Amino acid sequence: QVHLEEAGGGSITAGGSLKLSCTASASTYTHYCVAWFRQGPEQVREWVAYTYTGSDETDFADSVKGRFSISRDRARNTLFLQMNNLNPNDSASYYCAAAVSISASCSRRTAGYHYWGQGTQVTVSS
């Protein structure tokens, strides 16, 4: 069982930055796909980005490419999502998700992840 806990959400004006964190209680001997998804009011949950812990490969949705980045603190088993140049379309609840994986072929679908955090709210005002 993997427990994920997000933090770092908040309210910010357009053009600003936020850094979300996802701390995992997970084996350090197992590799995971770790993804970020977001869901706005009355919207489907959409994939934002993922990384594979075995190689640190990352991929980002076109809507955030060039503005968002992923980093890790291995000692704290924590993943970070740095979000820059935020705009109101980025407002959503952001969720961290994980799945055990033996390769960097990580899923962009919610069904591909077994473990989920509780979410953290990001609100961007114009």
Side-chain angles (χ1 to χ4, degrees):
Q1 188 73 11
V2 176
H3 177 73
L4 302 173
E5 186 165 349
E6 304 98 333
S11 297
I12 198 165
T13 55
S17 299
L18 283 174
K19 188 174 186 178
L20 306 183
S21 65
C22 173
T23 300
S25 63
S27 168
T28 57
Y29 300 102
T30 302
H31 292 307
Y32 297 85
C33 286
V34 184
W36 288 94
F37 288 81
R38 66 186 182 186
Q39 186 170 17
E42 301 182 3
Q43 294 182 354
V44 298
R45 192 167 295 188
E46 66 171 354
W47 170 74
V48 175
Y50 67 60
T51 187
Y52 178 58
T53 63
S55 64
D56 288 338
E57 289 183 47
T58 59
D59 195 13
F60 298 87
D62 288 344
S63 60
V64 306
K65 199 168 290 185
R67 300 187 297 123
F68 290 14
S69 62
I70 289 176
S71 61
R72 288 174 66 189
D73 182 338
R74 294 175 186 269
R76 293 168 53 194
N77 227 15
T78 298
L79 191 79
F80 299 98
L81 181 69
Q82 177 68 46
M83 307 186 297
N84 298 327
N85 194 21
L86 287 161
N87 62 66
N89 291 330
D90 296 316
S91 296
S93 292
Y94 282 71
Y95 298 88
C96 178
V100 175
S101 181
I102 59 172
S103 78
S105 298
C106 298
S107 175
R108 296 179 175 85
R109 301 173 59 194
T110 57
Y113 294 87
H114 311 120
Y115 308 107
W116 290 84
Q118 81 289 350
T120 185
Q121 179 66 36
V122 172
T123 302
V124 185
S125 58
S126 56

